[in-house]
Amino acid sequence: MVTRSASEVAFSVEELDPRRHDRAGFDCGVEPLNRYLRTLAAQHRTKGIATTFVLVDTDRPATILGYYSLSAAALAFEQLTDADRKGLPSYPIPAVRIGRLAIARVHRGQHLGELLLANAVKRVLLTRTTLGVFALLVEAKDAPAEAFYRKYGFRLCDPQTRQFYLPLGHE
């Protein structure tokens, strides 16, 4: 998927390809997120645990500007708001988890996090044609991340873990 920013740089979000994308050159400033991309993301894809998508500038497709990972998940019925519970079965609700979302330090402040989040939502909505998915889940690692997700309509479902969910296109 190729998108254009205000400055007309062409971005592409692609599935991580360890032979093509420079994982070692990525630095978001958070070592566990760097380490995941460098050492675990490809293994998780092979084992069916998670799939990682990378944001690249189409003029420099090996350089990773940011990434996110998606995996299957379930949301406890009790963690939904009263309004969201209406009409749903009272057992775990199907969801997709954004396990990680990171932007390279040198690209912070360019709204690339929003671009990746929008891409993740669009990608998950496309899966709904073949797979039941009610919501997108995420755990905010800190207060700024919590504010980021709240800004885009995510709802708190577990204050102890800062887990949030975003209902996807239902009434």
Side-chain angles (χ1 to χ4, degrees), residues 32-77:
L33 293 174
N34 292 338
R35 188 172 43 252
Y36 178 81
L37 182 65
R38 292 176 186 150
T39 64
L40 294 174
Q43 290 176 37
H44 282 186
R45 175 65 172 130
T46 301
K47 293 177 180 177
I49 295 169
T51 302
T52 298
F53 298 91
V54 296
L55 175 68
V56 298
D57 177 336
T58 57
D59 291 336
R60 298 180 316 151
T63 303
I64 299 171
L65 309 177
Y67 78 94
Y68 67 87
S69 66
L70 296 177
S71 61
L75 180 60
F77 177 78

Side-chain angles (χ1 to χ4, degrees), residues 111-123:
H111 304 287
L112 299 182
E114 289 90 343
L115 193 140
L116 282 175
L117 180 59
N119 183 270
V121 169
K122 182 177 181 180
R123 192 174 300 277

Side-chain angles (χ1 to χ4, degrees), residues 7 9-10 20 29 50 57 69 94 101 119 121 129 148 166:
S7 62
V9 173
R20 186 167 162 232
D57 177 336
S69 66
L101 190 152
N119 183 270
V121 169
T129 61
F148 173 81
L166 179 68

Side-chain angles (χ1 to χ4, degrees), residues 10 16-17 31 41 45 50 52 57 61 90 92 94 97 133 143 148 152 158:
L16 174 66
D17 180 346
E31 194 48 39
R45 175 65 172 130
T52 298
D57 177 336
S90 59
R97 178 181 312 281
V133 176
F148 173 81
Y152 295 101
D158 185 351

Side-chain angles (χ1 to χ4, degrees), residues 97-134:
R97 178 181 312 281
I98 297 178
R100 288 151 188 88
L101 190 152
I103 301 300
R105 267 200 289 214
V106 297
H107 297 287
R108 286 199 186 133
Q110 299 175 14
H111 304 287
L112 299 182
E114 289 90 343
L115 193 140
L116 282 175
L117 180 59
N119 183 270
V121 169
K122 182 177 181 180
R123 192 174 300 277
V124 171
L125 287 172
L126 289 172
T127 68
R128 289 181 67 177
T129 61
T130 57
L131 181 68
V133 176
F134 176 83

